[in-house]
Amino acid sequence: MQDRFGRRINYLRVSVTDRCNLRCSYCMPEGGVGLVPHEKILSFEEILFVVHAAVEMGVDKVRLTGGEPLVRRRVVDLVAMVAGVEGIRDLAMTTNGMLLDEYAGRLREAGLMRVNVSLDAVDPERFSEITRGGDVDRVLAGIESAISEGLTPVRLNCVVRRSSDEANARDVARFAQEHGCEVCFIRRMDLAAGEFWVVDGGTGGDCKRCNRLRLSSDGLVRPCLFSDLGFSVRELGAGEAIGRALEAKPQCGTSSGAEAFSSIGG
Ligand code: SAM
């Protein structure tokens, strides 16, 4: 499908939950954010319905994200359901990796093709500080399991203050090289202030090349991370919500009132 500005939209990012088992300092306030009530969270069947509609309209790339996708109960079943949709050529997940060691094999068996793992530091103390309590050893074990299960190429997402030339980022780059991972550096963004940058080593943040729509865990199709526009699949039906989001997709992001990336699906 094409939007008003001639961009080909073929990528759907699905936030399967707004819950997360980390509290990364740049993503969420320490006390967490107001959570979406359970009844508002889309069921697997509803998510599948939206994915089907999106694929029929031209989406061929789907990413499961969150919140933390691996904290959603029975997420492996959801992966299997989405993997069964004909027409998806790339099915990936973005995870913080804390539960990946446990899940990598089952995710692969269910049909997941690859993972992006967020890794902002390799040093245990720095990692724990940034994520407010995360255990980097679990994440590194998760990355190694993902590699051995063939969820490749594993890409590491590293959030930096300004550039990849910072101590934590250099450590992550070295780890990536030693383990055959891809790496991209995401300069810290600010939803409210509308500050975003082109991702170094990735495709995000470049409005001219944006090919994405997002489905939030509470069922809004959102045309842009830096906008408050959203179209409810429960109210409008999946095809209509996707169509309206496509039509409304702004030429360039501005800002968003969302409390955290986790509530939109980063
Ligand atoms: N929990 C999963 C994870 O940690 O990868 C998926 C959701 S998380 C919101 C997705 C990505 O958004 C992560 O790579 C995270 O680093 C990034 N992110 C969150 N807040 C950000 C910010 N303020 N600026 C840039 N990237 C951010």
Side-chain angles (χ1 to χ4, degrees), residues 45-92:
E45 288 69 26
E46 287 174 305
I47 291 175
L48 192 68
F49 208 71
V50 180
V51 170
H52 263 293
V55 169
E56 261 172 38
M57 293 169 80
V59 161
D60 60 7
K61 179 173 174 178
V62 175
R63 174 176 301 281
L64 304 180
T65 179
E68 170 50 39
L70 295 181
V71 303
R72 174 98 190 229
R73 273 181 54 220
R74 301 196 300 108
V75 69
V76 175
D77 296 347
L78 176 66
V79 170
M81 288 161 80
V82 175
V85 176
E86 216 165 300
I88 299 178
R89 65 170 177 85
D90 186 9
L91 176 58

mmCIF file of all heavy atoms in Angstrom, residues 45-92:
data_model
loop_
_atom_site.group_PDB
_atom_site.id
_atom_site.type_symbol
_atom_site.label_atom_id
_atom_site.label_comp_id
_atom_site.label_asym_id
_atom_site.label_seq_id
_atom_site.Cartn_x
_atom_site.Cartn_y
_atom_site.Cartn_z
ATOM 1 N N GLU A 45 -6.526 -13.509 18.981
ATOM 2 C CA GLU A 45 -7.400 -13.619 17.801
ATOM 3 C C GLU A 45 -7.566 -12.243 17.147
ATOM 4 O O GLU A 45 -7.544 -12.115 15.924
ATOM 5 C CB GLU A 45 -8.776 -14.184 18.201
ATOM 6 C CG GLU A 45 -8.775 -15.667 18.556
ATOM 7 C CD GLU A 45 -8.037 -15.978 19.866
ATOM 8 O OE1 GLU A 45 -7.939 -15.090 20.756
ATOM 9 O OE2 GLU A 45 -7.540 -17.114 19.993
ATOM 10 N N GLU A 46 -7.725 -11.218 17.972
ATOM 11 C CA GLU A 46 -7.873 -9.863 17.412
ATOM 12 C C GLU A 46 -6.589 -9.415 16.710
ATOM 13 O O GLU A 46 -6.631 -8.816 15.634
ATOM 14 C CB GLU A 46 -8.246 -8.876 18.523
ATOM 15 C CG GLU A 46 -9.680 -9.038 19.009
ATOM 16 C CD GLU A 46 -9.974 -8.140 20.214
ATOM 17 O OE1 GLU A 46 -9.233 -8.229 21.223
ATOM 18 O OE2 GLU A 46 -10.946 -7.385 20.168
ATOM 19 N N ILE A 47 -5.464 -9.710 17.336
ATOM 20 C CA ILE A 47 -4.184 -9.330 16.707
ATOM 21 C C ILE A 47 -4.063 -10.039 15.357
ATOM 22 O O ILE A 47 -3.697 -9.440 14.339
ATOM 23 C CB ILE A 47 -2.980 -9.690 17.615
ATOM 24 C CG1 ILE A 47 -2.975 -8.802 18.862
ATOM 25 C CG2 ILE A 47 -1.661 -9.561 16.851
ATOM 26 C CD1 ILE A 47 -1.912 -9.141 19.893
ATOM 27 N N LEU A 48 -4.406 -11.319 15.350
ATOM 28 C CA LEU A 48 -4.280 -12.094 14.113
ATOM 29 C C LEU A 48 -5.166 -11.518 13.011
ATOM 30 O O LEU A 48 -4.771 -11.433 11.847
ATOM 31 C CB LEU A 48 -4.669 -13.551 14.391
ATOM 32 C CG LEU A 48 -4.306 -14.511 13.263
ATOM 33 C CD1 LEU A 48 -2.794 -14.645 13.139
ATOM 34 C CD2 LEU A 48 -4.927 -15.887 13.505
ATOM 35 N N PHE A 49 -6.347 -11.082 13.405
ATOM 36 C CA PHE A 49 -7.284 -10.489 12.463
ATOM 37 C C PHE A 49 -6.668 -9.245 11.807
ATOM 38 O O PHE A 49 -6.753 -9.043 10.605
ATOM 39 C CB PHE A 49 -8.547 -10.116 13.240
ATOM 40 C CG PHE A 49 -9.772 -10.135 12.399
ATOM 41 C CD1 PHE A 49 -10.303 -11.339 11.956
ATOM 42 C CD2 PHE A 49 -10.393 -8.933 12.041
ATOM 43 C CE1 PHE A 49 -11.433 -11.342 11.156
ATOM 44 C CE2 PHE A 49 -11.522 -8.944 11.241
ATOM 45 C CZ PHE A 49 -12.045 -10.147 10.811
ATOM 46 N N VAL A 50 -6.037 -8.422 12.635
ATOM 47 C CA VAL A 50 -5.413 -7.194 12.121
ATOM 48 C C VAL A 50 -4.230 -7.555 11.209
ATOM 49 O O VAL A 50 -4.057 -6.959 10.138
ATOM 50 C CB VAL A 50 -4.939 -6.275 13.271
ATOM 51 C CG1 VAL A 50 -4.284 -5.013 12.714
ATOM 52 C CG2 VAL A 50 -6.098 -5.908 14.191
ATOM 53 N N VAL A 51 -3.453 -8.532 11.627
ATOM 54 C CA VAL A 51 -2.302 -8.921 10.800
ATOM 55 C C VAL A 51 -2.788 -9.429 9.446
ATOM 56 O O VAL A 51 -2.248 -9.057 8.396
ATOM 57 C CB VAL A 51 -1.436 -9.990 11.528
ATOM 58 C CG1 VAL A 51 -0.384 -10.566 10.579
ATOM 59 C CG2 VAL A 51 -0.761 -9.376 12.757
ATOM 60 N N HIS A 52 -3.829 -10.252 9.454
ATOM 61 C CA HIS A 52 -4.385 -10.754 8.186
ATOM 62 C C HIS A 52 -4.790 -9.593 7.288
ATOM 63 O O HIS A 52 -4.454 -9.556 6.108
ATOM 64 C CB HIS A 52 -5.630 -11.616 8.456
ATOM 65 C CG HIS A 52 -5.332 -13.077 8.482
ATOM 66 N ND1 HIS A 52 -4.929 -13.780 7.373
ATOM 67 C CD2 HIS A 52 -5.378 -13.965 9.504
ATOM 68 C CE1 HIS A 52 -4.741 -15.046 7.700
ATOM 69 N NE2 HIS A 52 -4.993 -15.186 8.990
ATOM 70 N N ALA A 53 -5.516 -8.641 7.865
ATOM 71 C CA ALA A 53 -5.994 -7.500 7.069
ATOM 72 C C ALA A 53 -4.802 -6.717 6.528
ATOM 73 O O ALA A 53 -4.787 -6.312 5.355
ATOM 74 C CB ALA A 53 -6.885 -6.600 7.926
ATOM 75 N N ALA A 54 -3.798 -6.520 7.363
ATOM 76 C CA ALA A 54 -2.624 -5.741 6.944
ATOM 77 C C ALA A 54 -1.903 -6.453 5.807
ATOM 78 O O ALA A 54 -1.470 -5.818 4.827
ATOM 79 C CB ALA A 54 -1.688 -5.527 8.133
ATOM 80 N N VAL A 55 -1.774 -7.762 5.927
ATOM 81 C CA VAL A 55 -1.067 -8.522 4.879
ATOM 82 C C VAL A 55 -1.863 -8.457 3.577
ATOM 83 O O VAL A 55 -1.301 -8.281 2.494
ATOM 84 C CB VAL A 55 -0.803 -9.977 5.349
ATOM 85 C CG1 VAL A 55 -0.333 -10.851 4.191
ATOM 86 C CG2 VAL A 55 0.227 -9.979 6.476
ATOM 87 N N GLU A 56 -3.171 -8.555 3.693
ATOM 88 C CA GLU A 56 -3.996 -8.435 2.475
ATOM 89 C C GLU A 56 -3.798 -7.078 1.805
ATOM 90 O O GLU A 56 -3.886 -6.947 0.585
ATOM 91 C CB GLU A 56 -5.475 -8.587 2.828
ATOM 92 C CG GLU A 56 -5.984 -9.975 2.557
ATOM 93 C CD GLU A 56 -7.384 -10.157 3.096
ATOM 94 O OE1 GLU A 56 -8.200 -9.215 3.014
ATOM 95 O OE2 GLU A 56 -7.636 -11.254 3.634
ATOM 96 N N MET A 57 -3.500 -6.058 2.623
ATOM 97 C CA MET A 57 -3.343 -4.705 2.068
ATOM 98 C C MET A 57 -1.903 -4.417 1.643
ATOM 99 O O MET A 57 -1.599 -3.329 1.179
ATOM 100 C CB MET A 57 -3.816 -3.674 3.105
ATOM 101 C CG MET A 57 -5.317 -3.775 3.353
ATOM 102 S SD MET A 57 -5.879 -2.807 4.785
ATOM 103 C CE MET A 57 -5.956 -1.158 4.101
ATOM 104 N N GLY A 58 -0.998 -5.359 1.862
ATOM 105 C CA GLY A 58 0.355 -5.170 1.343
ATOM 106 C C GLY A 58 1.493 -5.255 2.349
ATOM 107 O O GLY A 58 2.656 -5.103 1.983
ATOM 108 N N VAL A 59 1.160 -5.510 3.606
ATOM 109 C CA VAL A 59 2.240 -5.664 4.591
ATOM 110 C C VAL A 59 2.902 -7.036 4.409
ATOM 111 O O VAL A 59 2.227 -8.040 4.232
ATOM 112 C CB VAL A 59 1.682 -5.510 6.028
ATOM 113 C CG1 VAL A 59 2.619 -6.094 7.065
ATOM 114 C CG2 VAL A 59 1.405 -4.034 6.325
ATOM 115 N N ASP A 60 4.238 -7.055 4.408
ATOM 116 C CA ASP A 60 4.920 -8.348 4.326
ATOM 117 C C ASP A 60 6.010 -8.484 5.399
ATOM 118 O O ASP A 60 6.777 -9.425 5.402
ATOM 119 C CB ASP A 60 5.505 -8.583 2.928
ATOM 120 C CG ASP A 60 6.511 -7.531 2.517
ATOM 121 O OD1 ASP A 60 6.864 -6.676 3.355
ATOM 122 O OD2 ASP A 60 6.961 -7.562 1.357
ATOM 123 N N LYS A 61 6.042 -7.497 6.289
ATOM 124 C CA LYS A 61 7.042 -7.518 7.346
ATOM 125 C C LYS A 61 6.336 -7.204 8.666
ATOM 126 O O LYS A 61 5.644 -6.185 8.761
ATOM 127 C CB LYS A 61 8.086 -6.448 7.003
ATOM 128 C CG LYS A 61 9.179 -6.301 7.988
ATOM 129 C CD LYS A 61 10.246 -5.339 7.491
ATOM 130 C CE LYS A 61 11.245 -5.147 8.616
ATOM 131 N NZ LYS A 61 12.340 -4.294 8.307
ATOM 132 N N VAL A 62 6.470 -8.085 9.634
ATOM 133 C CA VAL A 62 5.784 -7.900 10.920
ATOM 134 C C VAL A 62 6.803 -8.043 12.041
ATOM 135 O O VAL A 62 7.639 -8.959 12.031
ATOM 136 C CB VAL A 62 4.643 -8.938 11.097
ATOM 137 C CG1 VAL A 62 4.014 -8.833 12.479
ATOM 138 C CG2 VAL A 62 3.574 -8.760 10.013
ATOM 139 N N ARG A 63 6.717 -7.132 12.994
ATOM 140 C CA ARG A 63 7.587 -7.216 14.178
ATOM 141 C C ARG A 63 6.720 -7.209 15.428
ATOM 142 O O ARG A 63 5.822 -6.371 15.566
ATOM 143 C CB ARG A 63 8.542 -6.017 14.206
ATOM 144 C CG ARG A 63 9.383 -5.938 15.486
ATOM 145 C CD ARG A 63 10.382 -4.801 15.436
ATOM 146 N NE ARG A 63 11.277 -4.946 14.310
ATOM 147 C CZ ARG A 63 12.330 -5.763 14.273
ATOM 148 N NH1 ARG A 63 12.611 -6.506 15.338
ATOM 149 N NH2 ARG A 63 13.079 -5.850 13.207
ATOM 150 N N LEU A 64 6.976 -8.133 16.331
ATOM 151 C CA LEU A 64 6.284 -8.147 17.615
ATOM 152 C C LEU A 64 7.154 -7.402 18.622
ATOM 153 O O LEU A 64 8.350 -7.663 18.740
ATOM 154 C CB LEU A 64 6.045 -9.588 18.078
ATOM 155 C CG LEU A 64 5.283 -10.476 17.079
ATOM 156 C CD1 LEU A 64 5.095 -11.883 17.643
ATOM 157 C CD2 LEU A 64 3.924 -9.871 16.717
ATOM 158 N N THR A 65 6.535 -6.455 19.325
ATOM 159 C CA THR A 65 7.299 -5.648 20.258
ATOM 160 C C THR A 65 6.420 -5.352 21.469
ATOM 161 O O THR A 65 5.431 -6.029 21.717
ATOM 162 C CB THR A 65 7.844 -4.374 19.539
ATOM 163 O OG1 THR A 65 8.562 -3.581 20.471
ATOM 164 C CG2 THR A 65 6.761 -3.538 18.890
ATOM 165 N N GLY A 66 6.769 -4.343 22.250
ATOM 166 C CA GLY A 66 5.975 -4.040 23.432
ATOM 167 C C GLY A 66 6.295 -2.634 23.918
ATOM 168 O O GLY A 66 6.782 -1.821 23.142
ATOM 169 N N GLY A 67 6.134 -2.471 25.209
ATOM 170 C CA GLY A 67 6.357 -3.324 26.358
ATOM 171 C C GLY A 67 7.395 -4.405 26.050
ATOM 172 O O GLY A 67 8.162 -4.269 25.135
ATOM 173 N N GLU A 68 7.381 -5.418 26.851
ATOM 174 C CA GLU A 68 8.286 -6.543 26.584
ATOM 175 C C GLU A 68 7.448 -7.726 26.081
ATOM 176 O O GLU A 68 6.661 -8.300 26.844
ATOM 177 C CB GLU A 68 9.062 -6.905 27.856
ATOM 178 C CG GLU A 68 9.851 -8.191 27.772
ATOM 179 C CD GLU A 68 10.736 -8.299 26.527
ATOM 180 O OE1 GLU A 68 11.352 -7.309 26.102
ATOM 181 O OE2 GLU A 68 10.807 -9.414 25.967
ATOM 182 N N PRO A 69 7.606 -8.088 24.809
ATOM 183 C CA PRO A 69 6.738 -9.133 24.250
ATOM 184 C C PRO A 69 6.821 -10.465 24.992
ATOM 185 O O PRO A 69 5.824 -11.182 25.091
ATOM 186 C CB PRO A 69 7.219 -9.278 22.802
ATOM 187 C CG PRO A 69 8.528 -8.572 22.719
ATOM 188 C CD PRO A 69 8.534 -7.544 23.798
ATOM 189 N N LEU A 70 7.987 -10.777 25.558
ATOM 190 C CA LEU A 70 8.133 -12.094 26.200
ATOM 191 C C LEU A 70 7.448 -12.172 27.567
ATOM 192 O O LEU A 70 7.399 -13.247 28.155
ATOM 193 C CB LEU A 70 9.611 -12.490 26.297
ATOM 194 C CG LEU A 70 10.297 -12.717 24.946
ATOM 195 C CD1 LEU A 70 11.753 -13.125 25.141
ATOM 196 C CD2 LEU A 70 9.567 -13.769 24.103
ATOM 197 N N VAL A 71 6.909 -11.052 28.077
ATOM 198 C CA VAL A 71 6.134 -11.168 29.320
ATOM 199 C C VAL A 71 4.653 -11.424 29.050
ATOM 200 O O VAL A 71 3.889 -11.689 29.982
ATOM 201 C CB VAL A 71 6.291 -9.950 30.291
ATOM 202 C CG1 VAL A 71 7.743 -9.714 30.652
ATOM 203 C CG2 VAL A 71 5.636 -8.692 29.753
ATOM 204 N N ARG A 72 4.246 -11.354 27.781
ATOM 205 C CA ARG A 72 2.840 -11.675 27.475
ATOM 206 C C ARG A 72 2.661 -13.189 27.562
ATOM 207 O O ARG A 72 3.413 -13.953 26.933
ATOM 208 C CB ARG A 72 2.475 -11.169 26.072
ATOM 209 C CG ARG A 72 1.089 -11.583 25.590
ATOM 210 C CD ARG A 72 0.032 -10.555 25.773
ATOM 211 N NE ARG A 72 -1.282 -11.102 25.513
ATOM 212 C CZ ARG A 72 -2.202 -10.547 24.734
ATOM 213 N NH1 ARG A 72 -1.946 -9.408 24.117
ATOM 214 N NH2 ARG A 72 -3.384 -11.094 24.574
ATOM 215 N N ARG A 73 1.646 -13.624 28.324
ATOM 216 C CA ARG A 73 1.418 -15.067 28.491
ATOM 217 C C ARG A 73 1.140 -15.725 27.152
ATOM 218 O O ARG A 73 0.426 -15.188 26.325
ATOM 219 C CB ARG A 73 0.243 -15.300 29.445
ATOM 220 C CG ARG A 73 0.707 -15.315 30.894
ATOM 221 C CD ARG A 73 -0.437 -15.567 31.850
ATOM 222 N NE ARG A 73 -1.177 -16.781 31.510
ATOM 223 C CZ ARG A 73 -2.512 -16.876 31.584
ATOM 224 N NH1 ARG A 73 -3.238 -15.845 31.940
ATOM 225 N NH2 ARG A 73 -3.111 -18.014 31.289
ATOM 226 N N ARG A 74 1.703 -16.876 26.951
ATOM 227 C CA ARG A 74 1.514 -17.716 25.755
ATOM 228 C C ARG A 74 1.956 -17.011 24.471
ATOM 229 O O ARG A 74 1.423 -17.248 23.398
ATOM 230 C CB ARG A 74 0.051 -18.174 25.630
ATOM 231 C CG ARG A 74 -0.450 -18.983 26.828
ATOM 232 C CD ARG A 74 -1.737 -19.733 26.512
ATOM 233 N NE ARG A 74 -2.861 -18.875 26.121
ATOM 234 C CZ ARG A 74 -3.347 -18.789 24.894
ATOM 235 N NH1 ARG A 74 -2.844 -19.491 23.922
ATOM 236 N NH2 ARG A 74 -4.352 -17.975 24.640
ATOM 237 N N VAL A 75 2.959 -16.127 24.591
ATOM 238 C CA VAL A 75 3.376 -15.369 23.412
ATOM 239 C C VAL A 75 3.866 -16.286 22.293
ATOM 240 O O VAL A 75 3.742 -15.956 21.104
ATOM 241 C CB VAL A 75 4.446 -14.304 23.788
ATOM 242 C CG1 VAL A 75 5.763 -14.945 24.177
ATOM 243 C CG2 VAL A 75 4.641 -13.305 22.663
ATOM 244 N N VAL A 76 4.382 -17.461 22.662
ATOM 245 C CA VAL A 76 4.855 -18.404 21.635
ATOM 246 C C VAL A 76 3.675 -18.836 20.752
ATOM 247 O O VAL A 76 3.816 -18.989 19.536
ATOM 248 C CB VAL A 76 5.527 -19.634 22.293
ATOM 249 C CG1 VAL A 76 5.914 -20.664 21.237
ATOM 250 C CG2 VAL A 76 6.756 -19.200 23.083
ATOM 251 N N ASP A 77 2.498 -18.980 21.361
ATOM 252 C CA ASP A 77 1.316 -19.334 20.562
ATOM 253 C C ASP A 77 0.985 -18.219 19.584
ATOM 254 O O ASP A 77 0.600 -18.467 18.440
ATOM 255 C CB ASP A 77 0.093 -19.569 21.469
ATOM 256 C CG ASP A 77 0.283 -20.760 22.392
ATOM 257 O OD1 ASP A 77 1.232 -21.540 22.152
ATOM 258 O OD2 ASP A 77 -0.493 -20.901 23.363
ATOM 259 N N LEU A 78 1.131 -16.985 20.029
ATOM 260 C CA LEU A 78 0.866 -15.854 19.127
ATOM 261 C C LEU A 78 1.863 -15.865 17.959
ATOM 262 O O LEU A 78 1.477 -15.647 16.808
ATOM 263 C CB LEU A 78 0.962 -14.519 19.885
ATOM 264 C CG LEU A 78 0.796 -13.284 18.997
ATOM 265 C CD1 LEU A 78 -0.621 -13.216 18.414
ATOM 266 C CD2 LEU A 78 1.112 -12.001 19.765
ATOM 267 N N VAL A 79 3.111 -16.135 18.263
ATOM 268 C CA VAL A 79 4.119 -16.201 17.199
ATOM 269 C C VAL A 79 3.699 -17.254 16.168
ATOM 270 O O VAL A 79 3.733 -17.009 14.956
ATOM 271 C CB VAL A 79 5.523 -16.521 17.774
ATOM 272 C CG1 VAL A 79 6.514 -16.836 16.659
ATOM 273 C CG2 VAL A 79 6.026 -15.351 18.616
ATOM 274 N N ALA A 80 3.276 -18.413 16.661
ATOM 275 C CA ALA A 80 2.880 -19.483 15.739
ATOM 276 C C ALA A 80 1.683 -19.044 14.891
ATOM 277 O O ALA A 80 1.625 -19.318 13.683
ATOM 278 C CB ALA A 80 2.543 -20.751 16.512
ATOM 279 N N MET A 81 0.739 -18.338 15.514
ATOM 280 C CA MET A 81 -0.445 -17.887 14.776
ATOM 281 C C MET A 81 -0.038 -16.903 13.673
ATOM 282 O O MET A 81 -0.469 -17.004 12.525
ATOM 283 C CB MET A 81 -1.443 -17.215 15.733
ATOM 284 C CG MET A 81 -2.154 -18.205 16.650
ATOM 285 S SD MET A 81 -2.890 -17.392 18.115
ATOM 286 C CE MET A 81 -4.396 -16.728 17.438
ATOM 287 N N VAL A 82 0.810 -15.951 14.023
ATOM 288 C CA VAL A 82 1.215 -14.939 13.042
ATOM 289 C C VAL A 82 2.084 -15.580 11.956
ATOM 290 O O VAL A 82 1.964 -15.256 10.765
ATOM 291 C CB VAL A 82 1.951 -13.757 13.735
ATOM 292 C CG1 VAL A 82 2.486 -12.769 12.708
ATOM 293 C CG2 VAL A 82 1.011 -13.048 14.708
ATOM 294 N N ALA A 83 2.943 -16.518 12.380
ATOM 295 C CA ALA A 83 3.829 -17.172 11.402
ATOM 296 C C ALA A 83 3.018 -17.953 10.369
ATOM 297 O O ALA A 83 3.493 -18.184 9.249
ATOM 298 C CB ALA A 83 4.801 -18.103 12.116
ATOM 299 N N GLY A 84 1.797 -18.344 10.739
ATOM 300 C CA GLY A 84 0.952 -19.099 9.817
ATOM 301 C C GLY A 84 0.267 -18.233 8.769
ATOM 302 O O GLY A 84 -0.386 -18.749 7.864
ATOM 303 N N VAL A 85 0.409 -16.923 8.866
ATOM 304 C CA VAL A 85 -0.257 -16.039 7.889
ATOM 305 C C VAL A 85 0.579 -16.008 6.614
ATOM 306 O O VAL A 85 1.747 -15.622 6.632
ATOM 307 C CB VAL A 85 -0.400 -14.599 8.461
ATOM 308 C CG1 VAL A 85 -1.009 -13.675 7.409
ATOM 309 C CG2 VAL A 85 -1.231 -14.606 9.725
ATOM 310 N N GLU A 86 -0.039 -16.425 5.538
ATOM 311 C CA GLU A 86 0.701 -16.464 4.282
ATOM 312 C C GLU A 86 0.967 -15.053 3.765
ATOM 313 O O GLU A 86 0.070 -14.205 3.817
ATOM 314 C CB GLU A 86 -0.113 -17.245 3.253
ATOM 315 C CG GLU A 86 0.786 -18.054 2.345
ATOM 316 C CD GLU A 86 -0.014 -19.084 1.591
ATOM 317 O OE1 GLU A 86 -0.637 -19.942 2.272
ATOM 318 O OE2 GLU A 86 -0.024 -18.991 0.372
ATOM 319 N N GLY A 87 2.172 -14.823 3.308
ATOM 320 C CA GLY A 87 2.484 -13.511 2.744
ATOM 321 C C GLY A 87 3.451 -12.717 3.594
ATOM 322 O O GLY A 87 3.900 -11.643 3.196
ATOM 323 N N ILE A 88 3.786 -13.235 4.794
ATOM 324 C CA ILE A 88 4.774 -12.521 5.620
ATOM 325 C C ILE A 88 6.155 -13.073 5.277
ATOM 326 O O ILE A 88 6.409 -14.262 5.429
ATOM 327 C CB ILE A 88 4.484 -12.714 7.126
ATOM 328 C CG1 ILE A 88 3.103 -12.142 7.465
ATOM 329 C CG2 ILE A 88 5.567 -12.033 7.960
ATOM 330 C CD1 ILE A 88 2.696 -12.323 8.916
ATOM 331 N N ARG A 89 7.023 -12.193 4.797
ATOM 332 C CA ARG A 89 8.358 -12.694 4.441
ATOM 333 C C ARG A 89 9.375 -12.403 5.544
ATOM 334 O O ARG A 89 10.464 -12.944 5.543
ATOM 335 C CB ARG A 89 8.827 -12.132 3.094
ATOM 336 C CG ARG A 89 9.038 -10.674 3.106
ATOM 337 C CD ARG A 89 9.704 -10.022 1.947
ATOM 338 N NE ARG A 89 9.690 -8.600 2.234
ATOM 339 C CZ ARG A 89 10.584 -7.970 2.961
ATOM 340 N NH1 ARG A 89 11.610 -8.607 3.469
ATOM 341 N NH2 ARG A 89 10.469 -6.681 3.220
ATOM 342 N N ASP A 90 9.000 -11.554 6.498
ATOM 343 C CA ASP A 90 9.922 -11.252 7.592
ATOM 344 C C ASP A 90 9.129 -11.132 8.892
ATOM 345 O O ASP A 90 8.288 -10.244 9.026
ATOM 346 C CB ASP A 90 10.647 -9.929 7.275
ATOM 347 C CG ASP A 90 11.742 -9.619 8.290
ATOM 348 O OD1 ASP A 90 12.056 -10.493 9.118
ATOM 349 O OD2 ASP A 90 12.277 -8.496 8.241
ATOM 350 N N LEU A 91 9.371 -12.053 9.804
ATOM 351 C CA LEU A 91 8.677 -12.025 11.096
ATOM 352 C C LEU A 91 9.731 -11.946 12.204
ATOM 353 O O LEU A 91 10.508 -12.879 12.405
ATOM 354 C CB LEU A 91 7.815 -13.282 11.277
ATOM 355 C CG LEU A 91 7.117 -13.426 12.635
ATOM 356 C CD1 LEU A 91 6.215 -12.239 12.933
ATOM 357 C CD2 LEU A 91 6.317 -14.720 12.686
ATOM 358 N N ALA A 92 9.758 -10.822 12.885
ATOM 359 C CA ALA A 92 10.818 -10.567 13.861
ATOM 360 C C ALA A 92 10.215 -10.128 15.193
ATOM 361 O O ALA A 92 9.008 -9.879 15.299
ATOM 362 C CB ALA A 92 11.749 -9.482 13.328
#
